[in-house]
Amino acid sequence: MNWSDITIEQFLKIQAINAVTPDVIDREVKTIACVQGIPEAEVAKYPITKLMEAAKLLIFLKELPKKQIPIDFELDDSEWKTTVMYRDMTAGQFIDFASILKKVKNEEIIHEMHKIIACLTIRKGERYKGYDTYSDLFYSKLSMAIAYPIF
């Protein structure tokens, strides 16, 4: 397992778990349940050895992905192009990007990752349609291996 297996949605849930769950074992149970997509009650029934084995597979979560910004990527049977430089953005992309940044505090910007990426990314063969067109898709399906370097 690695960052390619973690969506933006899962990442943000894990961030919330880490922020509000002081007990290490409880935090591991919640994180494993989130990543595996199963109820916490099911993970809580694991023998401690199985829990620790599952937790070891998630050790990569301790360090954020370190990759180059993907210029092109595939998602949901479509090809996407990332706009890396502001000069390559459309006016609509820039306006949406700036408006998202203005609305949130710096410490909350991570929760808008999917919207920011939707501003910086265009489905190949299409024109920019506004960030709300694809931000939900990115939230639920885009892996952090692709998302975090763009963000």
Side-chain angles (χ1 to χ4, degrees):
M1 183 162 272
N2 59 46
W3 281 110
S4 295
D5 302 310
I6 305 297
T7 64
I8 294 173
E9 179 178 15
Q10 289 171 312
F11 172 74
L12 294 175
K13 286 179 181 177
I14 292 166
Q15 292 291 306
I17 290 166
N18 290 336
V20 299
T21 312
D23 181 74
V24 176
I25 300 297
D26 190 27
R27 191 168 49 238
E28 295 292 358
V29 167
K30 291 175 185 299
T31 302
I32 292 165
C34 175
V35 170
Q36 293 183 357
I38 60 176
E40 287 177 35
E42 190 174 323
V43 178
K45 293 176 186 175
Y46 286 4
I48 196 71
T49 53
K50 183 176 179 178
L51 182 75
M52 289 300 122
E53 286 174 19
K56 281 183 186 177
L57 295 175
L58 302 179
I59 196 75
F60 70 91
L61 294 173
K62 305 274 185 226
E63 193 171 315
L64 291 169
K66 294 179 183 175
K67 287 179 124 179
Q68 287 187 313
I69 296 172
I71 303 302
D72 298 306
F73 63 91
E74 287 187 27
L75 177 68
D76 212 33
D77 296 326
S78 295
E79 292 185 20
W80 302 81
K81 181 170 179 54
T82 305
T83 306
V84 181
M85 305 297 244
Y86 292 125
R87 68 175 179 259
D88 297 328
M89 295 173 112
T90 65
Q93 283 177 287
F94 189 82
I95 290 166
D96 285 350
F97 180 75
S99 72
I100 291 168
L101 294 179
K102 286 179 188 177
K103 291 178 186 175
V104 295
K105 298 176 186 171
N106 284 345
E107 61 272 10
E108 297 170 356
I109 197 78
I110 195 130
H111 299 286
E112 304 300 319
M113 180 187 306
H114 57 295
K115 294 176 184 176
I116 291 170
I117 293 169
C119 290
L120 301 175
T121 309
I122 299 174
R123 182 180 271 175
K124 287 187 177 182
E126 292 183 359
R127 298 182 127 177
Y128 181 69
K129 298 178 181 181
Y131 70 89
D132 55 339
T133 304
Y134 295 115
S135 62
D136 289 342
L137 172 69
F138 292 155
Y139 181 77
S140 63
K141 293 189 177 182
L142 189 62
S143 81
M144 284 297 292
I146 295 171
Y148 195 76
I150 296 170
F151 177 72

